[in-house]
Amino acid sequence: MTTNTADAIIVGGGLAGLAAAAELGDRGKKVIVLDQEPEQFLGGQAFWSLGGLFMVDTPEQRRMGIKDNADLALRDWMGSAQFDRPEDAWPRKWAEAYVEFAAGEMRPWLHDMGLRWFPVVGWAERGGSYANGHGNSVPRFHITWGTGPGVIEHFVRRVREHASNGLIDLRFRHQASHIIMQNGAASGVSGEVLSDDGADRGQKTNRDEVGEFEVYAPSVIVTSGGIGGNFELVRKSWPRDRLGEPPQEMVAGVPFHVDGRMIAISEKAGGHVINGDRMWHYTEGVKNWDPIWPSHGIRILPGPSSMWFDATGNRLEPPCLPGFDTLTTLKEILKTGYEYSWFVLTQKVIKKEFALSGSEQNPDFTSAKWSEVIRQRILSGKNATAPVEAFKEKGEDFVVANTLGDLVRGMNQLGGNLIDEDHLRAQIEARDAQMDNPFTKDAQIMAIHAARNYRGDRLIRTAKPHKFLDPSNGPLIAVKLHILTRKTLGGLQTNLDSQMLGADGQVVPGLFAAGEVAGFGGGGYHGYNALEGTFLGGCIFSGRNAGRSRAIA
């Protein structure tokens, strides 16, 4: 296909766009896919992910002794979402539809496509409050073999097959700047052709314009992603009423091209953004010692054992425990008047509990080879995985010491002499005193014992409880943690066919949105909190809905 007309135009070649394009190709539709980045960026932000998917009542769960069902998952979702606005009507419908999908067709459909999953299901966002509040009651985070690349490769394959058959036209370095509307209906997209760029995937590319373009179709699907790479937009959207002022210093968990520019363009065409103040930023970010994109940060995916302190050395109170309640922890950290916090842990904890977000930080899972997983995670002796050990050695946010005094001196060099050694020691000694019995009054120790009741955590994710100040468990490690930008939870409002809705609640003819730009469905199907695995899952689900939409004739 070499013409400038098609049945549908997709703006954005990430996972949601690929899912929509693949489904449209299956229907015999002609599709033009526009992406401002080079061809080597195909798949977008999903490439860099760990490949986790939120699924319910799967064979992987059942083999690990996990009893899950759609009713429990929906209870968890609604307790986390805390929908409280009139405009949450469509997000709520999307949430209900996604949980039904995740408990039913999702896994067999993806399995038939070729996806496979690591047998140990992860337990993310554990909550730590009441049963009707935020968090996953059971483990649901299914890591795809091959991580993010292992997710997108099957959608890329389907799209390229359709491209080879003349149905899909992939146009890279095409930056959309205007949605063409005629008589209130979408009819095309115009923008600029950008200069070629040989940058490696994820790096910042040029915005040099070398031409213009116009393409036409009766259906325009926007799948351009969120705002996490654009600190200016993040700060503009920051919920000051709930979280206070945004951090002056943040690290970016997503590449530069996650810039949010299509949001305003879609609004100008008649789309309507809701819940723009709902975002999902992590509290466990570290500066990448080998950065790919500007301000590149990596999230630590922690097990439950690291002690968490604020910038002045005061232990955070539950539910601010590692891996339990991201949004509450973010709020508590910012309330201190500082923009960072600290993990304090031991080598035994980092060995078993530290994982780093991203496909490039998990080469064993990305390789999809059991031999690599065993070599990295079981046969490595006292060491953590090679990427984690590299951060421990080279990362500017890591302090390693044999004594607490030396550890505190290193922390104070990084943090401005805010930590009092005696105060920190007293808190760690109090925690260590709980190690002599199988019972405890310390909420974090209770959580560790509960985690080890789960076979998966006991095997590979949660260290056996031990005394941090016992030298045999060392060395001691401290990690300075930054706020890391990641996800937009609100977005363009859509119905279940992924059609954009205007401010009046009516369909904007010919306009569609899917993925993060649509809040992963409806304009924010997470509500205020995410349960993890729901970002890739939401891109797949909403992109699939767009591609199957009855409104695309």
Side-chain angles (χ1 to χ4, degrees):
M1 182 173 64
T2 57
T3 69
N4 289 324
T5 61
D7 297 311
I9 298 165
I10 296 175
V11 183
L15 180 57
L18 291 172
E23 294 296 318
L24 287 166
D26 288 352
R27 294 169 59 187
K29 303 298 182 183
K30 291 188 175 182
V31 182
I32 296 173
V33 178
L34 306 173
D35 198 291
Q36 67 184 1
E37 298 305 321
E39 184 171 4
Q40 62 268 27
F41 284 51
L42 186 61
Q45 184 183 338
F47 176 90
W48 299 104
S49 74
L50 190 57
L53 294 171
F54 178 103
M55 296 190 289
V56 177
D57 192 22
T58 65
E60 289 78 16
Q61 287 178 299
R62 293 191 289 273
R63 282 192 287 267
M64 295 304 297
I66 300 164
K67 297 179 181 179
D68 198 11
N69 57 67
D71 179 69
L72 180 61
L74 188 60
R75 288 176 183 272
D76 285 350
W77 194 295
M78 294 303 172
S80 298
Q82 300 167 24
F83 292 124
D84 61 357
R85 298 171 176 173
E87 58 266 36
D88 283 330
W90 280 111
R92 182 187 294 271
K93 291 178 181 178
W94 271 92
E96 292 168 347
Y98 178 78
V99 170
E100 181 180 0
F101 176 63
E105 188 182 358
M106 182 175 182
R107 186 191 180 280
W109 177 64
L110 292 174
H111 189 276
D112 287 345
M113 202 185 301
L115 278 75
R116 299 294 184 270
W117 298 276
F118 186 63
V120 178
V121 183
W123 195 355
E125 285 297 299
R126 304 180 189 213
S129 185
Y130 294 111
N132 61 350
H134 170 58
N136 284 296
S137 298
V138 299
R140 297 190 176 104
F141 190 77
H142 295 69
I143 297 176
T144 305
W145 273 120
T147 63
V151 174
I152 67 171
E153 68 170 298
H154 303 285
F155 292 94
V156 170
R157 183 192 68 245
R158 291 174 61 195
V159 167
R160 290 202 181 278
E161 287 174 355
H162 290 312
S164 67
N165 292 326
L167 289 174
I168 293 179
D169 184 0
L170 297 165
R171 300 193 184 185
F172 302 100
R173 304 299 284 160
H174 279 59
Q175 177 179 263
S177 292
H178 180 66
I179 297 172
I180 302 169
M181 303 293 290
Q182 293 181 339
N183 299 320
S187 62
V189 175
S190 64
E192 301 76 41
V193 179
L194 303 179
S195 176
D196 290 341
D197 198 309
D200 290 338
R201 183 191 284 267
Q203 292 181 338
K204 185 177 180 179
T205 57
N206 74 70
R207 292 294 180 264
D208 301 333
E209 298 175 12
V210 296
E212 298 178 344
F213 73 88
E214 289 186 1
V215 289
Y216 297 93
S219 297
V220 175
I221 307 171
V222 178
T223 57
S224 54
I227 66 174
N230 186 331
F231 287 176
E232 182 180 350
L233 279 182
V234 169
R235 292 189 177 101
K236 182 179 179 181
S237 302
W238 193 267
R240 288 171 170 81
D241 59 329
R242 299 196 309 275
L243 297 178
E245 290 299 309
Q248 292 302 304
E249 181 183 26
M250 297 182 284
V251 291
V254 295
F256 173 78
H257 61 74
V258 186
D259 56 15
R261 66 187 307 274
M262 282 303 300
I263 297 173
I265 293 168
S266 299
E267 286 184 295
K268 188 175 180 181
H272 179 54
V273 171
I274 60 173
N275 301 317
D277 62 329
R278 294 178 183 170
M279 296 181 285
W280 193 249
H281 304 305
Y282 292 111
T283 52
E284 311 99 336
V286 293
K287 296 177 181 178
N288 193 345
W289 64 270
D290 187 20
I292 297 171
W293 54 78
S295 303
H296 189 175
I298 296 293
R299 184 198 176 199
I300 294 171
L301 304 172
S305 298
S306 296
M307 297 186 72
W308 207 335
F309 297 93
D310 68 21
T312 61
N314 294 308
R315 193 176 178 192
L316 298 184
E317 296 182 357
C320 302
L321 305 175
F324 277 69
D325 190 332
T326 293
L327 195 60
T328 297
T329 305
L330 174 62
K331 183 176 181 179
E332 290 303 308
I333 289 170
L334 294 179
K335 278 171 58 176
T336 67
Y338 297 92
E339 299 175 351
Y340 67 92
S341 59
W342 292 97
F343 276 165
V344 173
L345 58 147
T346 66
Q347 181 63 30
K348 284 187 176 179
V349 172
I350 203 171
K351 153 73 178 174
K352 196 162 188 177
E353 297 195 9
F354 262 39
L356 300 170
S357 64
S359 54
E360 83 284 9
Q361 300 297 336
N362 294 273
D364 51 345
F365 287 134
T366 302
S367 73
K369 295 179 180 178
W370 266 110
S371 59
E372 286 299 307
V373 174
I374 293 171
R375 183 177 66 84
Q376 284 275 345
R377 299 177 189 266
I378 297 176
L379 301 180
S380 57
K382 295 182 178 180
N383 290 335
T385 63
V388 171
E389 290 291 335
F391 266 85
K392 193 180 81 174
E393 177 186 352
K394 302 175 183 178
E396 65 179 89
D397 296 311
F398 284 70
V399 180
V400 182
N402 290 319
T403 68
L404 186 63
D406 288 341
L407 190 78
V408 170
R409 279 186 282 278
M411 294 169 73
N412 280 331
Q413 287 178 359
L414 286 180
N417 294 310
L418 298 176
I419 306 294
D420 178 78
E421 180 184 341
D422 291 339
H423 181 52
L424 192 70
R425 183 183 299 275
Q427 294 173 89
I428 299 174
E429 286 179 343
R431 179 253 181 220
D432 282 0
Q434 301 287 303
M435 292 296 103
D436 293 330
N437 289 287
F439 23 81
T440 179
K441 68 177 182 180
D442 187 284
Q444 184 172 12
I445 307 303
M446 292 179 194
I448 294 169
H449 288 314
R452 287 177 61 83
N453 285 331
Y454 168 46
R455 189 185 313 153
D457 274 357
R458 190 169 64 252
L459 285 172
I460 66 169
R461 199 69 177 103
T462 304
K464 185 177 180 180
H466 59 274
K467 295 183 177 182
F468 277 17
L469 296 180
D470 183 341
S472 67
N473 297 321
L476 290 165
I477 302 163
V479 187
K480 185 180 180 182
L481 304 172
H482 306 269
I483 307 304
L484 179 139
T485 64
R486 187 59 67 85
K487 296 296 181 185
T488 309
L489 297 190
L492 293 162
Q493 191 173 27
T494 60
N495 62 21
L496 288 174
D497 275 329
S498 293
Q499 293 175 284
M500 282 194 215
L501 304 177
D504 60 357
Q506 299 302 305
V507 167
V508 182
L511 272 185
F512 301 77
E516 189 171 354
V517 75
F520 302 93
Y525 84 157
H526 290 99
Y528 289 95
N529 293 280
L531 291 172
E532 299 294 350
T534 53
F535 302 127
L536 291 185
C539 286
I540 291 170
F541 183 57
S542 62
R544 187 179 101 137
N545 275 21
R548 295 185 177 189
S549 175
R550 298 164 295 177
I552 300 177

